[in-house]
Amino acid sequence: AGVGTPQWIPTELGDVHVRARLNQMEDNKMVEVIAGDPYEFQFEDNLVLRSGESVYLEVKLFDQYGFEMNHTDAGYKTWTAENGTMSPVGRFTATYPGVWNLTVSAGNVTGFTTIRVVPADASLSQLTVVEALDSYVAGESYELVTTRTDSNGYTGSFTPPLGNFTTSSGGLAFVDGRVHWTPGAMGMHELSVVDDGVISTLMVEVVHGNAIDTSLKLSSSSAMVAGEQSTIVFHAVDVIGNEWLVEGSLTVVNGNESLFTEYNGYATVTPQLS
């Protein structure tokens, strides 16, 4: 720690061997490092409970430097819940689904967290997209949940496991505890989920995303035939690969313009020579 009258700041709890030496003289001592004054309570992470169920809440007690101590060192604890019931010993019983605030305090020492209450066993379940729209854009991400009504009559949102979902357009992903759907092919498509044995489906319309490229294509084959009319279509492509007709203008760069007729987004041409 130094010479003279040094200062020492412990960084870990437990027994520490301290030694002082002057010339040939030496003294040793075992020093116990303990946590400081109680500073804050911390709950467990990601608390989830079904309506009607109960759980004993567990907390840890730390000093201002983050060292843990016995949770009883702060004294008698008082528990409160925004919704549901709480016993004096920290037993929480869930009622209505939702995300609710929980607090614990002992004198000036406090702790805060939230608990997510989900409906119990489903008697009714309806698949929904969190952002309810008339149509959904290919390549963008949307969160999926189920609106569940349980046997207790409580209704709330719930996210079943990713493997319970299916879609006929695009893909599904599990991100931060939530299921996200990214639409793919355009058209009417079906989303489906199995929620606690209850099957729910949802029909949605998928539209193309922003164009990232354009192309000219023959509508019939890869080559024109002399004496026959062919149609040239102006297409746009989004990031997923969807193609659609663009309302653009087409012009003849070189060749016989009399054989070329322009429309909005496409043109017809009747070549006479190979």
Side-chain angles (χ1 to χ4, degrees):
V3 298
T5 56
Q7 289 186 337
W8 167 53
I9 301 176
T11 57
E12 295 181 3
L13 303 183
D15 293 333
V16 179
H17 180 201
V18 180
R19 179 177 62 192
R21 177 183 296 169
L22 175 63
N23 297 324
Q24 300 302 315
M25 295 176 290
E26 181 178 293
D27 192 19
N28 292 269
K29 189 176 183 65
M30 294 300 297
V31 178
E32 182 186 6
V33 180
I34 62 174
D37 295 332
Y39 179 70
E40 69 173 352
F41 290 109
Q42 290 185 11
F43 287 84
E44 297 177 275
D45 296 329
N46 302 320
L47 293 174
V48 180
L49 196 64
R50 288 188 170 195
S51 60
E53 295 182 349
S54 61
V55 64
Y56 280 105
L57 299 173
E58 297 183 1
V59 293
K60 294 181 179 180
L61 180 62
F62 296 87
D63 66 11
Q64 61 178 327
Y65 302 108
F67 293 118
E68 186 178 357
M69 64 190 75
N70 193 306
H71 68 90
T72 61
D73 290 350
Y76 181 78
K77 292 187 283 291
T78 301
W79 307 80
T80 59
E82 181 183 7
N83 188 275
T85 59
M86 183 78 78
S87 73
V89 294
R91 184 181 178 88
F92 172 73
T93 301
T95 52
Y96 291 97
V99 178
W100 310 110
N101 295 316
L102 303 177
T103 61
V104 61
S105 61
N108 295 327
V109 182
T110 58
F112 306 90
T113 193
T114 59
I115 186 169
R116 186 182 181 196
V117 178
V118 300
D121 295 339
S123 57
L124 295 173
S125 182
Q126 177 59 54
L127 176 61
T128 59
V129 184
V130 172
E131 188 179 3
L133 302 172
D134 293 333
S135 60
Y136 298 91
V137 179
E140 296 190 4
S141 180
Y142 302 92
E143 183 184 352
L144 302 180
V145 298
T146 60
T147 301
R148 175 191 285 186
T149 301
D150 63 20
S151 54
N152 299 317
Y154 297 129
T155 298
S157 63
F158 180 71
T159 303
L162 177 63
N164 290 29
F165 290 85
T166 57
T167 177
S168 60
S169 174
L172 299 163
F174 192 73
V175 182
D176 297 330
R178 303 176 185 276
V179 172
H180 291 268
W181 166 57
T182 303
M186 297 186 299
M188 295 300 298
H189 291 277
E190 182 180 272
L191 297 170
S192 179
V193 67
V194 179
D195 181 12
D196 199 27
V198 179
I199 300 175
S200 174
T201 60
L202 180 67
M203 295 301 299
V204 293
E205 181 184 6
V206 177
V207 298
H208 62 75
N210 292 328
I212 63 169
D213 199 5
T214 56
S215 65
L216 290 174
K217 291 188 175 183
L218 288 173
S219 62
S220 55
S221 63
S222 59
M224 296 182 185
V225 179
E228 294 183 7
Q229 185 182 82
S230 295
T231 302
I232 305 174
V233 182
F234 188 24
H235 274 146
V237 183
D238 66 12
V239 67
I240 299 297
N242 291 309
E243 293 185 352
W244 66 97
L245 180 69
V246 178
E247 294 182 356
S249 59
L250 287 79
T251 58
V252 177
V253 177
N254 55 65
N256 190 343
E257 294 188 13
S258 64
L259 306 177
F260 179 88
T261 304
E262 180 198 2
Y263 300 92
N264 193 14
Y266 68 98
T268 58
V269 59
T270 306
Q272 300 300 316
L273 300 173
S274 60

